[in-house]
Amino acid sequence: MLKDAILAPAPGEDRSDAPERTTHATFREPAVWDKPAQPASGDAVADLREAIRGKLAYAIGKTPETARERDWFAATALALRDRIVDACQATDASVPNKRVYYLSLEFLIGRLLSDAMNNLGLVETTRAALQSLGVDLGTVEGAEPDAALGNGGLGRLAACFMESMASIGIPAMGYGIRYDHGLFRQTFEDGWQREAPETWLAEGNPWEFARPDATYTIGFGGHVTMAAVSDGVIRRHWYPAETVLAVAHDVPVVGWKGKTVNTLRLWKAESEAPVELAQFNGGDHVGAVSARMRAEAISRVLYPSDSSTAGQELRLRQEYFFTSASLQDLVRRHVAERGDVRSLHDHAAIQLNDTHPAIAVPELMRILLEDHGLQWEDAWHVTTNTLHYTNHTLLPEALETWPVELMERLLPRHMQIIYLINWMHLEEQGRHGRQGETNFAAHLASVSLIDESQGRRVRMGHLAFHGARRVNGVSALHTDLMRSTVFRDLHALDGDKIVNKTNGITFRRWLHNANPGLTRLAVEAVGPGVLDDPGLLRGLDAFAEDPAFVKRYAAARFSRKQALAEIIAERTGIEVDPSALFDVQIKRIHEYKRQLLNVIETVALYQAIKAEPHKDWTPRVKIFGGKAAPSYSQAKLIIKLALDVAKTVNDDPEVADRLKVVFLPNYSVSLAEAIIPAADLSEQISTAGMEASGTGNMKLALNGALTVGTLDGANIEIRDHVGADNIFIFGLDAAGVQARITETNYAQKAIQASPRLAAALDMIASGRFSPDEPNRFRPLTDDLRHRDQYLLTVDFDDYWRAQREIDAAWKDQARWWAMAIRNTARMAWFSSDRSMREYAEEIWRVQV
């Protein structure tokens, strides 16, 4: 059924011109595929139709005449959920030898209906069932809100990994927080980012199962007592001053063909006492629910601003809340199944997705010591053989640290455990005979879990490193830099601990679902096995210069560009030409990702077009998307500049359609699914050595967008796989960046050497794009002239060169499409299925 859906011709698609021969492979469609797709089974359609009708009536309480689009979505999701339950119960029927537990503060799962239909093989059955009820499947899919459970790459990676683990049969549970409002909904007001609550749960979540039977008590504050339980044995007991309940809500994660269904368990924070009745009856109606509001704030919003002390405390409360609930849950499950907590590491592998759940190290120790009575050595053995840690950043500000004072106040028992771990760790350095070394004190300071250089702070990255069996980076470059920079001294103590596991993406979401036209074309070219084995995409290489295939490939792209042009017009009011080059940069707004470099090049291009309006310029649409953290003023100013430049450029009749600039608001997974298949150029231009991996670069290249990028993160491995002739590389590499930042006045020198860059900066600083406030963007230009931490000025000229090389390549359409096809053909290695197999075999020691 799934193959039929993919092989069906697109409406209006012409297949009459495939030649018999070309100079390369010949694109010939097997005769059986010339026929329309076979219809879904009548019985299956009737069964699903009645199931949807029943859910609409008895679960939603609506009739077909009164149902809204959202009601039809909920009814369809509930009907499919019933089918998922059958597969889920089959998955849970036996106890696996070992489970993986994936702890992440974010799971950017997006919409789930298309995933469920695709992986269950029910796309056409669902389409036909809804059509028989007078409802369009596309309308129903569009009525599903994006789950507001993440922000960017880290959360989307977690979602891809969960789907891949189910698809390749790894028994796994994901653990996170069921945010009421997630990050925020982004709008623009006069070009400024405004944040509003994301209301994705306003009408409930039909995919989830509430599990009140899985409720755990989470403590904060209080004091710790000591008691001698036998000669020489002292037990400590923590008496929290405040407790919060963690209530489980389960979302099924369906694997490919429905063979395995894993679980994403999300925790909702609730108060033990929803209302203080005595206070309420005494007239203090607001105060009576204050404890409830304080408890529920934990699962209210993703990433509350940590610019205030209260914000820092809430962030730490969130991290401990979900980590403690998850560990209590998995330990309880293990004991129920195996009996002895000492064998936890034999049957459970816990992956910490970045430092957010690093508090798992002392929390698992506390559970083993206090709840199960293990001795310290036994508890430490279990902990350090169960936990594993993925690092996602080399930026110092993103390597979490917490003030010791805050930790001692909020988690006093954990701070005691951290002190003891650190003491034993540093004592071991002394026993190794390093006291006599000249820089021994500096060495101890660098490996200590407590940073005392600027106040006393707990280094959560060091804590996770020390408590984990394996620590992994997420691209080859990133892993090498981890070993030589942020964890250099720790790596010297344990040279085998850091390993590399380059990120991947699920092709089922980012190719099959996001780009069915291209998927259908791949199946026709190399066979339906490509749906199961991404490695077969390599067969498309043979068609890179086949005129018939190229024509179909370009047509698939053009149809997606038309659809994106409609979205752009609807959401921004800007009309763009789908035949122009769609130049895309979609990611979180941060200075190191260098959206500002892209904007400055846009200004320089605008100036060049104005100076030579009759030149044959390559028509280009610059498309931006991404959110800035609410307290990140510099990032928000970059968004404002992009929107002000867009207004000037788009309103200039002399430029016309040769250059358009678009910033789409409220970037999300579903918006990415519309942008990525329509992108011609993928901007991956971070400062070399600062992007851990990236996964947007993989999604875009898989769909045939050509990459312009630095040798940063996974760009290096993408270049190695697609070939240096099929990617546009510019700028300094990581070693060059490190060398340049030691030079004095490198930014001023770069600006003086580049009249084009100087003119663009002058135009921005002059107020040309902000006549109502001429000095609005001087903080950006002044920073570039005097500091330029991320080396935009140094890389600008080479970036300009690469962009003009791209212009020339676009004009040679045969060359362009050959490069695009080769990108799609050679991206199979970047499947998250491959990533998960590597984790399973080399980190978790799980059989696949």
Side-chain angles (χ1 to χ4, degrees), residues 285-363:
H285 303 142
V286 175
V289 295
S290 61
R292 174 185 172 186
M293 294 298 102
R294 176 174 168 80
E296 293 182 356
I298 292 174
S299 58
R300 191 78 70 194
V301 174
L302 170 65
Y303 294 145
S305 173
D306 58 359
S307 58
S308 67
T309 301
Q312 290 180 26
E313 179 174 329
L314 180 54
R315 286 279 291 268
L316 181 56
R317 283 164 66 88
Q318 283 185 332
E319 294 181 5
Y320 176 66
F321 164 81
F322 101 90
T323 302
S324 175
S326 304
L327 292 177
Q328 291 184 61
D329 188 56
L330 68 90
V331 169
R332 176 202 57 77
R333 181 178 300 105
H334 171 79
V335 172
E337 293 174 350
R338 306 289 177 178
D340 187 0
V341 75
R342 289 173 175 81
S343 65
L344 180 66
H345 57 288
D346 293 325
H347 302 289
I350 301 172
Q351 191 70 35
L352 309 179
N353 193 27
D354 216 13
T355 54
H356 306 131
I359 196 67
V361 177
E363 173 64 2

Side-chain angles (χ1 to χ4, degrees), residues 256-275:
W256 179 235
K257 295 185 176 178
K259 293 179 180 178
T260 300
V261 178
N262 286 331
T263 299
L264 173 58
R265 176 157 286 186
L266 303 172
W267 301 105
K268 176 177 173 56
E270 294 184 1
S271 174
E272 290 188 298
V275 60

Side-chain angles (χ1 to χ4, degrees), residues 488-505:
R488 181 190 59 193
D489 292 332
L490 289 171
H491 173 60
L493 303 178
D494 190 345
D496 296 328
K497 181 171 282 193
I498 297 178
V499 296
N500 180 60
K501 293 290 166 279
T502 298
N503 284 342
I505 57 173

Side-chain angles (χ1 to χ4, degrees), residues 142-171:
E144 180 177 8
D146 278 57
L149 298 172
N151 175 29
L154 180 143
R156 184 54 231 173
L157 181 77
C160 284
F161 280 6
M162 286 298 299
E163 194 274 350
S164 274
M165 283 190 277
S167 289
I168 66 175
I170 297 176

Side-chain angles (χ1 to χ4, degrees), residues 6-8 10 13 27 507 510-527 530-531 537 540 549-550 552-560 676-679 699-705 817 820-825:
I6 289 173
L7 299 182
E13 197 172 47
F27 178 53
F507 286 20
W510 295 107
L511 183 61
H512 302 181
N513 287 353
N515 205 339
L518 179 54
T519 304
R520 181 170 54 248
L521 192 56
V523 169
E524 292 168 356
V526 300
V530 73
L531 300 176
L537 280 172
L540 296 181
F549 186 85
V550 168
R552 292 278 304 284
Y553 189 99
R557 168 71 56 74
F558 190 74
S559 68
R560 298 311 301 264
I676 287 171
K699 296 160 194 164
L700 285 152
L702 174 64
N703 282 272
W817 292 117
I821 292 166
R822 291 183 182 117
N823 268 261
T824 298

Side-chain angles (χ1 to χ4, degrees), residues 275-289:
V275 60
E276 294 292 339
L277 204 54
Q279 276 183 276
F280 190 88
N281 290 335
D284 186 3
H285 303 142
V286 175
V289 295

